[in-house]
Amino acid sequence: AQFTNEFAEAARKSSPGMQIEIQRDLELTLTVASGHPYSVFLHNAYDEYKLAPENKSDVVQKYVTSSIELASKSPTETVIDRNQIVPIIKDRPWLAETRKALIDRGAKKVPDLVYEDFSADLVILYAEDSPKNIRYINSENLAATGVDRKELRQIACENLRRLLPKIERHGDAGTYMITAGGNYEASLLLLDKIWNSGQFEVRGDIVVAIPSRDLLLVTGSQDSEGINKIKKMAQEASTEGPYRLTPKLFVYRDGKFTEFGN
């Protein structure tokens, strides 16, 4: 409740003309002068704050800036920038939770978000990446922009390669952590050139863990020590950190990732 109140106060200071209403803990509604409301959910912000309480002011301001930008967009603004479309891996329950939250708030129409399956637990969503925000794409956006679903993944992956900061590999002895700015590490699984380039010296096939969107761990299918190490790290990260995905491991074979059975 205190975190929610502090967020609301920071939002009022950042945008005095905006109406801010607290619905419940970690949920607010922002309404701009034109009258359309925008729901803000602070669960990820709160999780991020709990990991580093000393950074609370920075966390709050980051999410305030993002929320105000999204709330200020016209609900009729459907065209997106095709050069900013990126793929984002999410856990499947996120879809149901998002729809339920909108329905519970009385939404007459729930956006038809554009996504495709990645695994039993994960999906690939598509979004427009701006300097301050991630705006998830729905069917209406896609139609208005003139992008065919058949070419969407290719466009998104090409954009991701261009927009990402430097991809770095950390670690040795067949077990690695990959970093790429903190937002799209999990999405790197969609960039085949990374995985078929031979840059990972591992025993057996490449095995990865993506317990959260910002954590990508790599080892080999025949490296029992490496498997146990990343499996333990994945279990811990998938229960403790924000932006959780799955504790499951995935193996790269025949040009694609599938669940690793061991």
Side-chain angles (χ1 to χ4, degrees), residues 160-181:
L160 183 62
R161 291 189 191 98
R162 174 174 50 82
L163 295 171
L164 277 176
K166 182 180 179 181
I167 300 173
E168 298 182 342
R169 186 184 71 180
H170 308 270
D172 53 24
T175 302
Y176 310 97
M177 180 175 70
I178 312 302
T179 59

Side-chain angles (χ1 to χ4, degrees), residues 43-53 59 62-63 242-243:
H43 301 82
N44 285 334
Y46 188 60
D47 285 345
E48 191 171 326
Y49 148 69
K50 287 191 296 183
L51 288 175
V59 171
K62 179 178 76 171
Y63 282 90
Y243 307 108

